[in-house]
Amino acid sequence: MQLDNLYQEVILDHYKHPQNKKLSPVFDAQVHHVNPSCGDEIDLNLTINDGVISNISWDGVGCSISQASVSILTELLIGKKIADAYSILDQFVALMQSKGAVPGDEYVLEDAIALAGVSKYPARIKCALLGWMAFKDASVQAQAKSKLD
Amino acid sequence: MQLDNLYQEVILDHYKHPQNKKLSPVFDAQVHHVNPSCGDEIDLNLTINDGVISNISWDGVGCSISQASVSILTELLIGKKIADAYSILDQFVALMQSKGAVPGDEYVLEDAIALAGVSKYPARIKCALLGWMAFKDASVQAQAKSKLD
Amino acid sequence: MTFDPLVIRKDFPIFDRKIRDGKRLVYLDSGATSQKPSVVIDAESNFYRNHNAAAHRGAHQLAEEATEALESARSVVADFLGGATDEIVFTKHSTEALNLLAYSIGDSPAGNVFHLKAGDEVVVSEMEHHANLIPWQQLAKRTGAVLKWFEVTPDGRLDLSDIESVITSRTKIVALTHQSNVLGTINPLAELVKRTHDVGAIFILDACQSVPHMPVSVAALDIDFLVFSGHKSVGPTGVGVLWGRASLLAELPPFLFGGSMIENVTMLDATWAPAPRKFEPGVPNMAQIVGLGVALNYLTKIGMQEIHNHENTITKYAISKLREIEKLKIIGPTDMKLRGGAVSFTLGEIHPHDLGQFLDNSGIAVRTGHHCAWPLTRKMGVAATTRASFYLYNTLEDIDDLADGVRDAQKYFA
Amino acid sequence: MTFDPLVIRKDFPIFDRKIRDGKRLVYLDSGATSQKPSVVIDAESNFYRNHNAAAHRGAHQLAEEATEALESARSVVADFLGGATDEIVFTKHSTEALNLLAYSIGDSPAGNVFHLKAGDEVVVSEMEHHANLIPWQQLAKRTGAVLKWFEVTPDGRLDLSDIESVITSRTKIVALTHQSNVLGTINPLAELVKRTHDVGAIFILDACQSVPHMPVSVAALDIDFLVFSGHKSVGPTGVGVLWGRASLLAELPPFLFGGSMIENVTMLDATWAPAPRKFEPGVPNMAQIVGLGVALNYLTKIGMQEIHNHENTITKYAISKLREIEKLKIIGPTDMKLRGGAVSFTLGEIHPHDLGQFLDNSGIAVRTGHHCAWPLTRKMGVAATTRASFYLYNTLEDIDDLADGVRDAQKYFA
Ligand SMILES: Cc1ncc(COP(=O)(O)O)c(C=O)c1O
Ligand SMILES: Cc1ncc(COP(=O)(O)O)c(C=O)c1O
């Protein structure tokens, strides 16, 4: 079934068993993002130590794609240097906007590669990106804060 | 030529030799009407004595249809009782809006019957009616004034 | 002529195409936009091919024909609504028509019947589409008027229990939807219009979801303004209608300014042509207006009552089939007396986006989300719903496919 | 490919029809609206037949296709103008686009770059179309800003001799036409834009009569906003374009309020999506937008420079032929360096309405009147003019027919 390209097992797994879906009480930055076209919402907390992402936690309502995507994101980015996280983010966004034209680098994107099928469903790209945009926003805020400290 | 139905000789005659085209200095009502779609303008002065139209005079710029139409109007309506003038006006308006479907009563409309061809050119109906609407307006004002007097 | 959706479908070329590698198109999204019959598509093409010129702007034959085509469409719309020809204003969609009203009302000087001063009240409801909510929020901000609203009951009806405290002597405008695009609820207008007029206010009807689907007569409803969109009424995109009582349109200030809406213009000032012209500056959306005329004639020929009866049959069947599905919850009234053919529902933990995607994969087009009525979905306690909406070309088979699809989705995401 | 209007005419089905009992159509009214090639007509039909659904509003295949069609057209328009995709806002026509600017500017709060306070100045010219005049008159009334204007010289050019006293440090907005729809005059933008930016004001270009006829690059012109209409650019009726600098669109408040232009909505308030979405509420005029994309691609394929050259040839020929006619007076510049392909004239005592009617009887479509630029015709000292306006499908033979027709009319009304 064509749909299985979109809903890969990895995605359904993350959807049913979302990782880090419990807001941690301590964080450097907290953001709330909404997808205005469908009403999906996410809260995301981020902690950065010495340029390394030490924690990402989240809560929210949304479709399997948005939930799985943020769950995968947390597994992928926690422990990474912030610069490396940005490079992964860029590759993920490029993959989403590729309309299925590029395969994506599995070595870099790991489980996130399972979301490649989303790029063929334009209306769902925003779902996949919701958590990533929240992360990006939070990281900017966290870094600005660390400069002030 | 099809066009000759529109530009009947009577019309071109009136256009070249317009009747009563010189504003009389005395009047019961004076109106200024404009055709906003083409910019044509008319001033019309009207005098009513004991319910009889004793004078209509006018000045203005406009196409042959509008000029001929008001010239014909003055010849037709001067000397008529106001009630009769309204009945002629109604018949003329009906003729203009007929899309060529009714011939018009020559006994009532006299020279104005020559304007029947206009009804087939919707964009020109307003030209033919410009003077008539000015007359109608002036007559209402003149009668209102006579009631006050 | 008996009503047969299978015959009607033949008029709509889109049903000849296939979805997602060869599946039959089950189009259940007419609440968002309707499909178009060939006669409408051809009317637009025919206008361009044979009569295209700037209407009301030329003394040449093409311009005359374009004007005639435009003005006959206007009288078709007037007849369809039971109004007068000069009471029909063409816009690009209902959204523009509602904004026209809100802006023009906001521009009405003191002394004008529409003038709003601080403390005057404008009434809407919690079930409004954003298009009939945000323009009034903005109007309230500009004028200092107060925005009030009817709440929605848990079963999806307007709560009219406190009608006298919502519509009061301070109320100037009441703007309500005829049928909710989310819940399907049809509102009881008689009582609302009466109360509105009793307090001397103006009643504006958002008829986007009713005019395409049932007989609507502005005279019988005794309302003051009505808007609907061509694209939801088997007509072209890019055309909407504002109907207004002649006496009110005469008093309402214009909204968009430009060519052919004027009486006189100098460098510093301008005066206006009579309605409807004063509301229609610029070269009109002529081909679309002509197409809309043909669309409404098409609907009239089939019969608005017949269409409504058919939708009732479909909706009743859909509700009964959907209610059999475990965990499926219909958001909105289930009593057919209170509703039209838009059915929203949730499906347990399965997100509407996922359900919609799954159905799409089977060729079934539904809409998911807040349906541009976000305060309403919030009020109903759901983040989003899945909506199936019906029209003259839908069949009972479409409903069976929908119900089967929903069950399959349940298995897939289990 | 060499430019051949006879070949191009074959793309436009309307030239297959006859006028007034069998006469050849000589269409010289493209300044009012252009004719449409089959590819454009078919693009609209094809959208309805195969891809019709509410763009940006569904997760189903048709909605995806509709969205894709809409957004590709947006990027075609952006490329055509030399702007970015997100800088393109679709409206129903230029008139709406100019009103959008005037209303949104008028709604800008203090602190916003667009905010106008009493005494600020808005500059237009005496040669503006009503669509680029009345919205600014109204804006001035609403805000207390002062409307100022460039005068027009007797030979039909903008009088820039006092540019420094017209555009001053109090100027906030300068809104001018690129090419006069009456005189054909092309305005010297470089000087005007520079002065506008020097005083820190915003430059808005009414490009209705230029974008369809010559290469126009918003980047090269260094302007801030531009509007044009699809129907004058071989595109469908019912679609127009507002281009704006991204940074300015971001700051400009929205105009029409409704669905799909929002970020969040509660009963009392709303926040907006980023541009262009915040300016496009409601189900878009999708088929028309798609048609416009195809229209601009059609023009690009032929070549905007080629089209412009062709129009120059036609216009030069027309001016020389018309000037041979006794009593005929051209209203506007006759130097080809200063003008494009719209030629207005008077013919002694013969009223334009009569001349136009006579020409129509020979199959020749021209426009007569004040052409929605009444202050201009008054300034030029004429009640009305006859206007012949040219486009890619016109031929020298069309001009010969026009000149012959004018002479015949002279005899007829002598
Ligand atoms: C210079 C100019 N500006 C504005 C307009 C208005 O265009 P539209 O009627 O398409 O809105 C026109 C066309 O009539 C025009 O020629
Ligand atoms: C109830 C209601 N009102 C207003 C609208 C807005 O219609 P449009 O987008 O055609 O302007 C819609 C459709 O989306 C609707 O369902």
Side-chain angles (χ1 to χ4, degrees), chain B residues 3-4 7 15-16 36 40 62-64 121 124 127, chain D residues 20-21 349 351 353-354 357-358 361 370 374 412 414:
Chain B
L3 205 63
D4 297 342
Y7 292 113
Y15 171 51
K16 288 168 197 163
D40 286 357
C63 62
S64 60
Y121 295 88
R124 305 305 296 279
C127 310
Chain D
R20 299 283 179 221
D21 300 331
E349 291 298 297
H351 191 279
H353 249 191
D354 292 319
Q357 194 82 56
F358 185 91
N361 197 60
H370 53 58
W374 209 345
Y412 191 83

PDB file of all heavy atoms in Angstrom, chain B residues 3-4 7 15-16 36 40 62-64 121 124 127, chain D residues 20-21 349 351 353-354 357-358 361 370 374 412 414:
ATOM      1  N   LEU B   3     -26.286  51.047 -39.368  1.00  0.00           N
ATOM      2  CA  LEU B   3     -26.130  52.232 -38.532  1.00  0.00           C
ATOM      3  C   LEU B   3     -27.215  53.274 -38.789  1.00  0.00           C
ATOM      4  O   LEU B   3     -27.535  54.071 -37.905  1.00  0.00           O
ATOM      5  CB  LEU B   3     -24.752  52.833 -38.830  1.00  0.00           C
ATOM      6  CG  LEU B   3     -24.120  53.666 -37.736  1.00  0.00           C
ATOM      7  CD1 LEU B   3     -23.871  52.817 -36.522  1.00  0.00           C
ATOM      8  CD2 LEU B   3     -22.815  54.255 -38.243  1.00  0.00           C
ATOM      9  N   ASP B   4     -27.758  53.257 -40.003  1.00  0.00           N
ATOM     10  CA  ASP B   4     -28.771  54.257 -40.341  1.00  0.00           C
ATOM     11  C   ASP B   4     -30.039  54.094 -39.507  1.00  0.00           C
ATOM     12  O   ASP B   4     -30.816  55.038 -39.354  1.00  0.00           O
ATOM     13  CB  ASP B   4     -29.110  54.198 -41.840  1.00  0.00           C
ATOM     14  CG  ASP B   4     -27.900  54.549 -42.692  1.00  0.00           C
ATOM     15  OD1 ASP B   4     -26.950  55.155 -42.147  1.00  0.00           O
ATOM     16  OD2 ASP B   4     -27.884  54.215 -43.886  1.00  0.00           O
ATOM     17  N   TYR B   7     -28.848  56.212 -36.510  1.00  0.00           N
ATOM     18  CA  TYR B   7     -28.706  57.640 -36.843  1.00  0.00           C
ATOM     19  C   TYR B   7     -29.702  58.022 -37.926  1.00  0.00           C
ATOM     20  O   TYR B   7     -29.320  58.314 -39.060  1.00  0.00           O
ATOM     21  CB  TYR B   7     -27.279  57.914 -37.284  1.00  0.00           C
ATOM     22  CG  TYR B   7     -26.269  57.784 -36.166  1.00  0.00           C
ATOM     23  CD1 TYR B   7     -25.324  56.777 -36.174  1.00  0.00           C
ATOM     24  CD2 TYR B   7     -26.291  58.669 -35.091  1.00  0.00           C
ATOM     25  CE1 TYR B   7     -24.392  56.657 -35.147  1.00  0.00           C
ATOM     26  CE2 TYR B   7     -25.363  58.553 -34.064  1.00  0.00           C
ATOM     27  CZ  TYR B   7     -24.417  57.547 -34.096  1.00  0.00           C
ATOM     28  OH  TYR B   7     -23.514  57.431 -33.079  1.00  0.00           O
ATOM     29  N   TYR B  15     -29.456  67.092 -34.293  1.00  0.00           N
ATOM     30  CA  TYR B  15     -28.086  67.216 -33.779  1.00  0.00           C
ATOM     31  C   TYR B  15     -27.403  68.440 -34.385  1.00  0.00           C
ATOM     32  O   TYR B  15     -26.772  69.237 -33.680  1.00  0.00           O
ATOM     33  CB  TYR B  15     -27.327  65.935 -34.114  1.00  0.00           C
ATOM     34  CG  TYR B  15     -25.849  65.957 -33.851  1.00  0.00           C
ATOM     35  CD1 TYR B  15     -25.330  66.365 -32.616  1.00  0.00           C
ATOM     36  CD2 TYR B  15     -24.954  65.528 -34.832  1.00  0.00           C
ATOM     37  CE1 TYR B  15     -23.965  66.364 -32.382  1.00  0.00           C
ATOM     38  CE2 TYR B  15     -23.594  65.519 -34.595  1.00  0.00           C
ATOM     39  CZ  TYR B  15     -23.097  65.941 -33.376  1.00  0.00           C
ATOM     40  OH  TYR B  15     -21.748  65.926 -33.153  1.00  0.00           O
ATOM     41  N   LYS B  16     -27.583  68.599 -35.693  1.00  0.00           N
ATOM     42  CA  LYS B  16     -26.927  69.727 -36.367  1.00  0.00           C
ATOM     43  C   LYS B  16     -27.651  71.044 -36.111  1.00  0.00           C
ATOM     44  O   LYS B  16     -27.036  72.102 -36.136  1.00  0.00           O
ATOM     45  CB  LYS B  16     -26.807  69.428 -37.860  1.00  0.00           C
ATOM     46  CG  LYS B  16     -25.742  68.353 -38.141  1.00  0.00           C
ATOM     47  CD  LYS B  16     -25.782  67.828 -39.561  1.00  0.00           C
ATOM     48  CE  LYS B  16     -25.019  66.511 -39.658  1.00  0.00           C
ATOM     49  NZ  LYS B  16     -25.334  65.751 -40.871  1.00  0.00           N
ATOM     50  N   PRO B  36     -22.270  59.840 -16.030  1.00  0.00           N
ATOM     51  CA  PRO B  36     -20.943  59.567 -15.454  1.00  0.00           C
ATOM     52  C   PRO B  36     -20.111  58.612 -16.299  1.00  0.00           C
ATOM     53  O   PRO B  36     -18.895  58.619 -16.203  1.00  0.00           O
ATOM     54  CB  PRO B  36     -21.264  58.907 -14.101  1.00  0.00           C
ATOM     55  CG  PRO B  36     -22.726  59.076 -13.882  1.00  0.00           C
ATOM     56  CD  PRO B  36     -23.356  59.282 -15.215  1.00  0.00           C
ATOM     57  N   ASP B  40     -20.804  63.305 -20.472  1.00  0.00           N
ATOM     58  CA  ASP B  40     -21.728  64.250 -21.110  1.00  0.00           C
ATOM     59  C   ASP B  40     -22.516  65.014 -20.051  1.00  0.00           C
ATOM     60  O   ASP B  40     -22.871  64.465 -19.011  1.00  0.00           O
ATOM     61  CB  ASP B  40     -22.682  63.503 -22.045  1.00  0.00           C
ATOM     62  CG  ASP B  40     -21.966  63.051 -23.314  1.00  0.00           C
ATOM     63  OD1 ASP B  40     -20.768  63.376 -23.470  1.00  0.00           O
ATOM     64  OD2 ASP B  40     -22.601  62.367 -24.126  1.00  0.00           O
ATOM     65  N   GLY B  62     -22.474  66.784 -25.651  1.00  0.00           N
ATOM     66  CA  GLY B  62     -22.823  65.368 -25.701  1.00  0.00           C
ATOM     67  C   GLY B  62     -22.834  64.867 -27.123  1.00  0.00           C
ATOM     68  O   GLY B  62     -22.583  65.628 -28.078  1.00  0.00           O
ATOM     69  N   CYS B  63     -23.118  63.605 -27.250  1.00  0.00           N
ATOM     70  CA  CYS B  63     -23.118  62.967 -28.559  1.00  0.00           C
ATOM     71  C   CYS B  63     -24.391  63.328 -29.308  1.00  0.00           C
ATOM     72  O   CYS B  63     -25.316  63.928 -28.754  1.00  0.00           O
ATOM     73  CB  CYS B  63     -23.005  61.467 -28.400  1.00  0.00           C
ATOM     74  SG  CYS B  63     -24.404  60.752 -27.503  1.00  0.00           S
ATOM     75  N   SER B  64     -24.452  62.944 -30.546  1.00  0.00           N
ATOM     76  CA  SER B  64     -25.603  63.280 -31.381  1.00  0.00           C
ATOM     77  C   SER B  64     -26.898  62.744 -30.778  1.00  0.00           C
ATOM     78  O   SER B  64     -27.922  63.408 -30.830  1.00  0.00           O
ATOM     79  CB  SER B  64     -25.412  62.703 -32.783  1.00  0.00           C
ATOM     80  OG  SER B  64     -25.287  61.304 -32.699  1.00  0.00           O
ATOM     81  N   TYR B 121     -29.001  49.455 -28.840  1.00  0.00           N
ATOM     82  CA  TYR B 121     -27.610  49.699 -28.447  1.00  0.00           C
ATOM     83  C   TYR B 121     -27.588  50.085 -26.969  1.00  0.00           C
ATOM     84  O   TYR B 121     -27.626  51.279 -26.629  1.00  0.00           O
ATOM     85  CB  TYR B 121     -27.013  50.821 -29.305  1.00  0.00           C
ATOM     86  CG  TYR B 121     -26.894  50.459 -30.764  1.00  0.00           C
ATOM     87  CD1 TYR B 121     -27.942  50.685 -31.641  1.00  0.00           C
ATOM     88  CD2 TYR B 121     -25.738  49.862 -31.260  1.00  0.00           C
ATOM     89  CE1 TYR B 121     -27.845  50.341 -32.982  1.00  0.00           C
ATOM     90  CE2 TYR B 121     -25.622  49.522 -32.603  1.00  0.00           C
ATOM     91  CZ  TYR B 121     -26.686  49.756 -33.462  1.00  0.00           C
ATOM     92  OH  TYR B 121     -26.572  49.414 -34.784  1.00  0.00           O
ATOM     93  N   ARG B 124     -26.068  53.147 -25.416  1.00  0.00           N
ATOM     94  CA  ARG B 124     -26.486  54.478 -25.837  1.00  0.00           C
ATOM     95  C   ARG B 124     -27.806  54.919 -25.207  1.00  0.00           C
ATOM     96  O   ARG B 124     -28.227  56.059 -25.387  1.00  0.00           O
ATOM     97  CB  ARG B 124     -26.603  54.532 -27.372  1.00  0.00           C
ATOM     98  CG  ARG B 124     -25.343  54.123 -28.113  1.00  0.00           C
ATOM     99  CD  ARG B 124     -24.120  54.915 -27.681  1.00  0.00           C
ATOM    100  NE  ARG B 124     -24.182  56.339 -27.969  1.00  0.00           N
ATOM    101  CZ  ARG B 124     -23.906  56.869 -29.164  1.00  0.00           C
ATOM    102  NH1 ARG B 124     -23.538  56.102 -30.162  1.00  0.00           N
ATOM    103  NH2 ARG B 124     -23.972  58.174 -29.337  1.00  0.00           N
ATOM    104  N   CYS B 127     -27.597  57.891 -23.161  1.00  0.00           N
ATOM    105  CA  CYS B 127     -27.428  59.126 -23.925  1.00  0.00           C
ATOM    106  C   CYS B 127     -28.804  59.683 -24.262  1.00  0.00           C
ATOM    107  O   CYS B 127     -29.081  60.857 -24.063  1.00  0.00           O
ATOM    108  CB  CYS B 127     -26.663  58.870 -25.226  1.00  0.00           C
ATOM    109  SG  CYS B 127     -25.133  57.938 -25.035  1.00  0.00           S
TER     110      CYS B 127
ATOM    111  N   ARG D  20     -20.983  42.671 -36.001  1.00  0.00           N
ATOM    112  CA  ARG D  20     -22.014  43.421 -36.751  1.00  0.00           C
ATOM    113  C   ARG D  20     -22.224  42.848 -38.150  1.00  0.00           C
ATOM    114  O   ARG D  20     -21.833  43.461 -39.158  1.00  0.00           O
ATOM    115  CB  ARG D  20     -21.634  44.900 -36.861  1.00  0.00           C
ATOM    116  CG  ARG D  20     -21.497  45.639 -35.547  1.00  0.00           C
ATOM    117  CD  ARG D  20     -22.801  46.017 -34.913  1.00  0.00           C
ATOM    118  NE  ARG D  20     -22.588  46.715 -33.639  1.00  0.00           N
ATOM    119  CZ  ARG D  20     -23.338  46.484 -32.545  1.00  0.00           C
ATOM    120  NH1 ARG D  20     -24.325  45.617 -32.554  1.00  0.00           N
ATOM    121  NH2 ARG D  20     -23.111  47.153 -31.444  1.00  0.00           N
ATOM    122  N   ASP D  21     -22.822  41.684 -38.206  1.00  0.00           N
ATOM    123  CA  ASP D  21     -23.154  41.077 -39.501  1.00  0.00           C
ATOM    124  C   ASP D  21     -21.942  40.863 -40.387  1.00  0.00           C
ATOM    125  O   ASP D  21     -21.867  41.407 -41.496  1.00  0.00           O
ATOM    126  CB  ASP D  21     -24.188  41.931 -40.251  1.00  0.00           C
ATOM    127  CG  ASP D  21     -25.472  42.070 -39.457  1.00  0.00           C
ATOM    128  OD1 ASP D  21     -25.773  41.149 -38.682  1.00  0.00           O
ATOM    129  OD2 ASP D  21     -26.149  43.105 -39.604  1.00  0.00           O
ATOM    130  N   GLU D 349     -15.722  68.370 -34.144  1.00  0.00           N
ATOM    131  CA  GLU D 349     -16.999  68.448 -33.434  1.00  0.00           C
ATOM    132  C   GLU D 349     -17.623  67.077 -33.219  1.00  0.00           C
ATOM    133  O   GLU D 349     -18.645  66.955 -32.546  1.00  0.00           O
ATOM    134  CB  GLU D 349     -17.984  69.313 -34.243  1.00  0.00           C
ATOM    135  CG  GLU D 349     -17.615  70.784 -34.285  1.00  0.00           C
ATOM    136  CD  GLU D 349     -17.618  71.387 -32.888  1.00  0.00           C
ATOM    137  OE1 GLU D 349     -18.690  71.406 -32.259  1.00  0.00           O
ATOM    138  OE2 GLU D 349     -16.526  71.791 -32.421  1.00  0.00           O
ATOM    139  N   HIS D 351     -18.539  63.804 -31.705  1.00  0.00           N
ATOM    140  CA  HIS D 351     -18.446  63.306 -30.340  1.00  0.00           C
ATOM    141  C   HIS D 351     -17.884  61.873 -30.347  1.00  0.00           C
ATOM    142  O   HIS D 351     -18.255  61.061 -31.193  1.00  0.00           O
ATOM    143  CB  HIS D 351     -19.834  63.323 -29.715  1.00  0.00           C
ATOM    144  CG  HIS D 351     -19.823  63.085 -28.241  1.00  0.00           C
ATOM    145  ND1 HIS D 351     -19.736  61.831 -27.690  1.00  0.00           N
ATOM    146  CD2 HIS D 351     -19.882  63.945 -27.195  1.00  0.00           C
ATOM    147  CE1 HIS D 351     -19.750  61.926 -26.366  1.00  0.00           C
ATOM    148  NE2 HIS D 351     -19.849  63.204 -26.044  1.00  0.00           N
ATOM    149  N   HIS D 353     -18.562  59.321 -28.701  1.00  0.00           N
ATOM    150  CA  HIS D 353     -19.597  58.287 -28.696  1.00  0.00           C
ATOM    151  C   HIS D 353     -20.072  57.967 -30.103  1.00  0.00           C
ATOM    152  O   HIS D 353     -20.295  56.813 -30.455  1.00  0.00           O
ATOM    153  CB  HIS D 353     -20.792  58.753 -27.859  1.00  0.00           C
ATOM    154  CG  HIS D 353     -20.944  57.996 -26.599  1.00  0.00           C
ATOM    155  ND1 HIS D 353     -22.052  58.073 -25.805  1.00  0.00           N
ATOM    156  CD2 HIS D 353     -20.131  57.122 -26.003  1.00  0.00           C
ATOM    157  CE1 HIS D 353     -21.917  57.311 -24.763  1.00  0.00           C
ATOM    158  NE2 HIS D 353     -20.744  56.724 -24.852  1.00  0.00           N
ATOM    159  N   ASP D 354     -20.243  59.029 -30.874  1.00  0.00           N
ATOM    160  CA  ASP D 354     -20.709  58.811 -32.243  1.00  0.00           C
ATOM    161  C   ASP D 354     -19.626  58.158 -33.089  1.00  0.00           C
ATOM    162  O   ASP D 354     -19.897  57.251 -33.866  1.00  0.00           O
ATOM    163  CB  ASP D 354     -21.155  60.142 -32.855  1.00  0.00           C
ATOM    164  CG  ASP D 354     -22.409  60.686 -32.183  1.00  0.00           C
ATOM    165  OD1 ASP D 354     -23.319  59.878 -31.903  1.00  0.00           O
ATOM    166  OD2 ASP D 354     -22.477  61.900 -31.921  1.00  0.00           O
ATOM    167  N   GLN D 357     -19.353  54.538 -32.090  1.00  0.00           N
ATOM    168  CA  GLN D 357     -20.467  53.765 -32.622  1.00  0.00           C
ATOM    169  C   GLN D 357     -20.282  53.489 -34.109  1.00  0.00           C
ATOM    170  O   GLN D 357     -20.531  52.377 -34.572  1.00  0.00           O
ATOM    171  CB  GLN D 357     -21.761  54.558 -32.417  1.00  0.00           C
ATOM    172  CG  GLN D 357     -23.012  53.745 -32.623  1.00  0.00           C
ATOM    173  CD  GLN D 357     -23.348  52.953 -31.375  1.00  0.00           C
ATOM    174  OE1 GLN D 357     -23.496  53.513 -30.304  1.00  0.00           O
ATOM    175  NE2 GLN D 357     -23.431  51.642 -31.512  1.00  0.00           N
ATOM    176  N   PHE D 358     -19.813  54.500 -34.796  1.00  0.00           N
ATOM    177  CA  PHE D 358     -19.597  54.333 -36.235  1.00  0.00           C
ATOM    178  C   PHE D 358     -18.511  53.276 -36.483  1.00  0.00           C
ATOM    179  O   PHE D 358     -18.667  52.393 -37.326  1.00  0.00           O
ATOM    180  CB  PHE D 358     -19.189  55.671 -36.867  1.00  0.00           C
ATOM    181  CG  PHE D 358     -19.069  55.607 -38.356  1.00  0.00           C
ATOM    182  CD1 PHE D 358     -20.147  55.899 -39.180  1.00  0.00           C
ATOM    183  CD2 PHE D 358     -17.873  55.200 -38.944  1.00  0.00           C
ATOM    184  CE1 PHE D 358     -20.044  55.801 -40.562  1.00  0.00           C
ATOM    185  CE2 PHE D 358     -17.757  55.097 -40.324  1.00  0.00           C
ATOM    186  CZ  PHE D 358     -18.850  55.392 -41.136  1.00  0.00           C
ATOM    187  N   ASN D 361     -19.648  49.817 -35.961  1.00  0.00           N
ATOM    188  CA  ASN D 361     -20.446  49.317 -37.065  1.00  0.00           C
ATOM    189  C   ASN D 361     -19.568  48.722 -38.165  1.00  0.00           C
ATOM    190  O   ASN D 361     -20.019  47.926 -38.972  1.00  0.00           O
ATOM    191  CB  ASN D 361     -21.288  50.461 -37.621  1.00  0.00           C
ATOM    192  CG  ASN D 361     -22.418  49.950 -38.478  1.00  0.00           C
ATOM    193  OD1 ASN D 361     -23.259  49.207 -38.002  1.00  0.00           O
ATOM    194  ND2 ASN D 361     -22.420  50.325 -39.749  1.00  0.00           N
ATOM    195  N   HIS D 370     -14.231  59.163 -20.665  1.00  0.00           N
ATOM    196  CA  HIS D 370     -13.135  59.714 -19.867  1.00  0.00           C
ATOM    197  C   HIS D 370     -12.199  58.617 -19.356  1.00  0.00           C
ATOM    198  O   HIS D 370     -11.248  58.891 -18.641  1.00  0.00           O
ATOM    199  CB  HIS D 370     -13.650  60.584 -18.717  1.00  0.00           C
ATOM    200  CG  HIS D 370     -14.675  59.901 -17.852  1.00  0.00           C
ATOM    201  ND1 HIS D 370     -14.429  58.730 -17.188  1.00  0.00           N
ATOM    202  CD2 HIS D 370     -15.957  60.221 -17.569  1.00  0.00           C
ATOM    203  CE1 HIS D 370     -15.500  58.362 -16.518  1.00  0.00           C
ATOM    204  NE2 HIS D 370     -16.457  59.234 -16.737  1.00  0.00           N
ATOM    205  N   TRP D 374     -11.223  60.945 -15.104  1.00  0.00           N
ATOM    206  CA  TRP D 374     -12.002  62.142 -15.403  1.00  0.00           C
ATOM    207  C   TRP D 374     -11.231  63.426 -15.116  1.00  0.00           C
ATOM    208  O   TRP D 374     -11.232  64.368 -15.932  1.00  0.00           O
ATOM    209  CB  TRP D 374     -13.318  62.077 -14.628  1.00  0.00           C
ATOM    210  CG  TRP D 374     -14.434  62.790 -15.300  1.00  0.00           C
ATOM    211  CD1 TRP D 374     -14.361  63.690 -16.326  1.00  0.00           C
ATOM    212  CD2 TRP D 374     -15.829  62.641 -14.999  1.00  0.00           C
ATOM    213  NE1 TRP D 374     -15.616  64.120 -16.675  1.00  0.00           N
ATOM    214  CE2 TRP D 374     -16.541  63.500 -15.881  1.00  0.00           C
ATOM    215  CE3 TRP D 374     -16.560  61.899 -14.073  1.00  0.00           C
ATOM    216  CZ2 TRP D 374     -17.932  63.609 -15.838  1.00  0.00           C
ATOM    217  CZ3 TRP D 374     -17.940  62.011 -14.042  1.00  0.00           C
ATOM    218  CH2 TRP D 374     -18.617  62.861 -14.925  1.00  0.00           C
ATOM    219  N   TYR D 412     -19.746  60.724 -42.670  1.00  0.00           N
ATOM    220  CA  TYR D 412     -21.093  60.381 -42.216  1.00  0.00           C
ATOM    221  C   TYR D 412     -21.709  61.481 -41.367  1.00  0.00           C
ATOM    222  O   TYR D 412     -22.882  61.807 -41.500  1.00  0.00           O
ATOM    223  CB  TYR D 412     -21.014  59.085 -41.425  1.00  0.00           C
ATOM    224  CG  TYR D 412     -22.360  58.443 -41.101  1.00  0.00           C
ATOM    225  CD1 TYR D 412     -23.000  57.634 -42.044  1.00  0.00           C
ATOM    226  CD2 TYR D 412     -22.970  58.627 -39.873  1.00  0.00           C
ATOM    227  CE1 TYR D 412     -24.211  57.016 -41.761  1.00  0.00           C
ATOM    228  CE2 TYR D 412     -24.194  58.018 -39.574  1.00  0.00           C
ATOM    229  CZ  TYR D 412     -24.803  57.217 -40.522  1.00  0.00           C
ATOM    230  OH  TYR D 412     -26.005  56.613 -40.231  1.00  0.00           O
ATOM    231  N   ALA D 414     -20.735  64.624 -41.287  1.00  0.00           N
ATOM    232  CA  ALA D 414     -20.406  65.972 -41.779  1.00  0.00           C
ATOM    233  C   ALA D 414     -21.660  66.843 -41.846  1.00  0.00           C
ATOM    234  O   ALA D 414     -22.727  66.360 -42.131  1.00  0.00           O
ATOM    235  CB  ALA D 414     -19.751  65.874 -43.152  1.00  0.00           C
TER     236      ALA D 414
END
